[in-house]
Amino acid sequence: MAHARPEIVRMQFMEIILFEARSLTSQTKSSIMYGEDLDQVPLLDNEEPLDFGEEDLPKGRLKHPVVTTFHLLFRTAALVVYEFCGIFSSSFIGPFIFIVVLLSLDFWTVKNITGRLMVGLRWWNYIDDEGQSHWVFEAKKGGLQGRVTKMEVRIFWVALVAFPVLWSIILLIAVVFSRFQWAIIVVIALTLTGSNLYGYVRCKLGKSDSISQSFKNMAAGLVQRQMVSNVTSMFTRAPPTATPSSTV
Amino acid sequence: MRDLRAVGTKFYHVLYPKEKKALLKEWDLWGPLILCTFIAMMVQGTQEVDKQDGGPEFAQVFVIVWLGAAVVTMNTKLLGGTISFFQSVCVLGYCLLPSCLSLILCRLILIAHQNRILFLLRFIVTCIGFAWATFAAMVFLGDSQPSSRKSLAVYPIFLFYFIISWLIISHSNV
């Protein structure tokens, strides 16, 4: 008999805890809400065992191949077009519009579709009736079984982090070589990819007060783990055997 | 799709600024991006064979629109406005629509051989677009300003649309 695989059509999201934070620049109160289930989920979670329901999926196989393709497609296309449009034509406006369109498509896709399906995170903003703005960052409760594959999670995060880094390097190059028109494209690219990165990292970090705080926690966790592994290796190392002195 | 319909609704509400909720509650920046790109494409400079075509004016429009909207928003917030950053940028961007329409009309007028009367017509069209844009922006943003500072908040918006309209009226090459 097959596993009792809960085919939940709609994703179950946890209750949201209201977290009122004062906005930095004005007296308006903006609030930031987090999905409750995240208790410091580490950013790199490559130590979880294969989840229940995933055993029948061969390792490395993607659950949503189309979504994954699109996650990567628009970002890569924008970068490629930016780099190679100079070979094909000397115009600026055509490639500009094309790249901006690709970047917008990528932003929309990553924010609305791939994050939700590949890693179960989503983030948005809404204005309530009093005119207060609320930012909501949600993560899917424990239902990672059967819905998310490790390979997809890895691809998602690698693509999410790599592209802002690449674009910032390209920005440096553009500024150094005084190609300021093209730098505008790079700034737009950086804004769009960077904001997706920021949103998803906030989702992942969950209930922490601030990003710097959660990075400190993460660093402390890594240091702790390192210390523990050092101590255990000290105890498990074989005692040094005395080498017999040379025979007389 | 949902997002496209949202953008279309907001365009409608900018043209007939009676109801404020649509733009303010569900802000999005797709409309401003479309309008900005459209205006930038239309006010390009002359195309020369061996130089990059129309570059400066195109990029200028982008920089003016987005940096200008950001600066006006910061001014509003520093004066004690109760609106969020993205809402304000959304409103300012969407209210470019009347200027955009006046740009289309000017472009049509430019097809004919130019003389003084046609220039006057373009000028009037641009002024109407400018006034409409400023009025619409004030309708949406008006409530969020403290009442004693309203004119302080209107001036940057006025200046913002003035510059955009200046770009539009000064574009005269076909």
Side-chain angles (χ1 to χ4, degrees):
Chain A
M1 167 179 129
H3 304 288
R5 214 175 172 173
E7 273 311 298
I8 308 168
V9 176
R10 272 208 244 150
M11 298 207 259
Q12 314 276 341
F13 284 89
M14 273 292 282
E15 303 266 338
I16 303 167
I17 294 182
L18 204 67
F19 178 75
E20 294 283 328
R22 246 186 131 69
S23 144
L24 288 171
T25 55
S26 78
Q27 301 132 346
T28 56
K29 282 194 179 181
S30 73
S31 86
I32 305 163
M33 305 194 252
Y34 296 95
E36 201 210 349
D37 66 308
L38 289 184
D39 279 311
Q40 290 306 102
V41 175
L43 203 56
L44 305 165
D45 52 350
N46 42 9
E47 281 145 19
E48 51 188 316
L50 213 51
D51 293 314
F52 181 65
E54 265 187 18
E55 289 103 345
D56 47 353
L57 210 67
K59 197 171 174 196
R61 186 110 170 274
L62 299 176
K63 204 162 167 69
H64 309 106
V66 175
V67 173
T68 315
T69 322
F70 274 105
H71 177 72
L72 297 171
L73 178 74
F74 293 129
R75 324 195 119 199
T76 331
L79 197 65
V80 162
V81 170
Y82 175 83
E83 289 295 329
F84 295 114
C85 61
I87 302 179
F88 296 109
S89 81
S90 64
S91 79
F92 172 71
I93 296 184
F96 183 104
I97 299 199
F98 192 44
I99 296 174
V100 167
V101 165
L102 283 173
L103 288 169
S104 317
L105 288 171
D106 162 68
F107 178 83
W108 187 87
T109 312
V110 171
K111 181 169 181 302
N112 289 313
I113 299 186
T114 65
R116 197 168 33 98
L117 291 177
M118 284 170 83
V119 289
L121 300 171
R122 65 180 182 184
W123 59 280
W124 74 92
N125 170 275
Y126 76 93
I127 317 281
D128 67 13
D129 291 326
E130 283 102 46
Q132 309 285 3
S133 110
H134 301 273
W135 287 97
V136 184
F137 302 91
E138 281 183 347
K140 197 153 64 90
K141 174 200 172 180
L144 289 180
Q145 292 102 338
R147 278 277 172 186
V148 160
T149 51
K150 273 202 299 198
M151 177 65 99
E152 283 189 352
V153 172
R154 221 170 268 153
I155 293 180
F156 178 83
W157 284 107
V158 163
L160 200 67
V161 173
F163 276 87
V165 169
L166 284 173
W167 283 115
S168 22
I169 297 176
I170 294 178
L171 179 66
L172 281 174
I173 297 176
V175 166
V176 160
F177 285 109
S178 306
R179 302 175 77 204
F180 291 117
Q181 281 183 2
W182 297 94
I184 296 183
I185 300 183
V186 185
V187 166
I188 295 177
L190 208 50
T191 320
L192 290 174
T193 47
S195 56
N196 255 331
L197 174 66
Y198 178 74
Y200 280 116
V201 164
R202 285 289 295 259
C203 288
K204 193 76 178 169
L205 296 177
K207 288 195 292 185
S208 328
D209 301 78
S210 69
I211 296 221
S212 54
Q213 187 63 34
S214 35
F215 274 131
K216 281 186 208 156
N217 290 343
M218 210 161 58
L222 283 172
V223 167
Q224 275 176 10
R225 254 183 282 170
Q226 190 62 34
M227 276 177 22
V228 164
S229 69
N230 278 349
V231 167
T232 47
S233 66
M234 229 167 33
F235 281 119
T236 52
R237 206 185 317 156
T241 53
T243 54
S245 48
S246 52
T247 53
V248 176
Chain B
M1 268 175 353
R2 174 200 60 167
D3 285 326
L4 284 177
R5 205 172 299 139
V7 171
T9 319
K10 291 200 187 67
F11 279 151
Y12 174 75
H13 280 115
V14 167
L15 290 179
Y16 301 104
K18 292 281 176 280
E19 188 228 313
K20 298 185 207 174
K21 290 290 177 186
L23 248 83
L24 288 179
K25 261 188 95 87
E26 311 268 340
W27 59 266
D28 71 71
L29 296 179
W30 298 116
L33 183 66
I34 296 172
L35 288 175
C36 179
T37 312
F38 183 76
I39 294 181
M41 276 204 311
M42 299 277 283
V43 296
Q44 290 175 37
T46 53
Q47 308 206 2
E48 295 184 15
V49 179
D50 38 2
K51 280 206 313 199
Q52 288 177 340
D53 58 337
E57 284 89 347
F58 184 84
Q60 268 174 18
V61 172
F62 264 88
V63 170
I64 287 176
V65 166
W66 292 102
L67 274 186
V71 167
V72 173
T73 306
M74 285 316 300
N75 175 75
T76 312
K77 287 183 82 75
L78 286 171
L79 282 175
T82 57
I83 205 169
S84 92
F85 179 82
F86 288 107
Q87 275 178 303
S88 177
V89 171
C90 166
V91 165
L92 290 170
Y94 270 102
C95 289
L96 282 172
L97 182 64
S99 300
C100 203
L101 293 175
S102 71
L103 174 62
I104 296 176
L105 280 177
C106 283
R107 190 73 182 75
L108 291 174
I109 295 174
L110 278 171
I111 294 178
H113 180 68
Q114 290 304 293
N115 56 24
R116 254 197 212 152
I117 299 196
L118 285 184
F119 173 75
L120 199 59
L121 191 60
R122 279 197 297 133
F123 182 74
I124 292 176
V125 163
T126 313
C127 279
I128 294 177
F130 161 53
W132 195 351
T134 312
F135 170 70
M138 276 321 292
V139 165
F140 290 115
L141 295 177
D143 286 347
S144 61
Q145 324 287 351
S147 51
S148 56
R149 304 265 175 93
K150 265 216 167 87
S151 31
L152 275 177
V154 175
Y155 175 66
I157 301 178
F158 175 89
L159 196 61
F160 178 65
Y161 290 114
F162 179 76
I163 294 183
I164 306 267
S165 308
W166 183 270
L167 282 175
I168 292 175
I169 190 72
S170 61
H171 167 70
S172 61
N173 47 344
V174 181

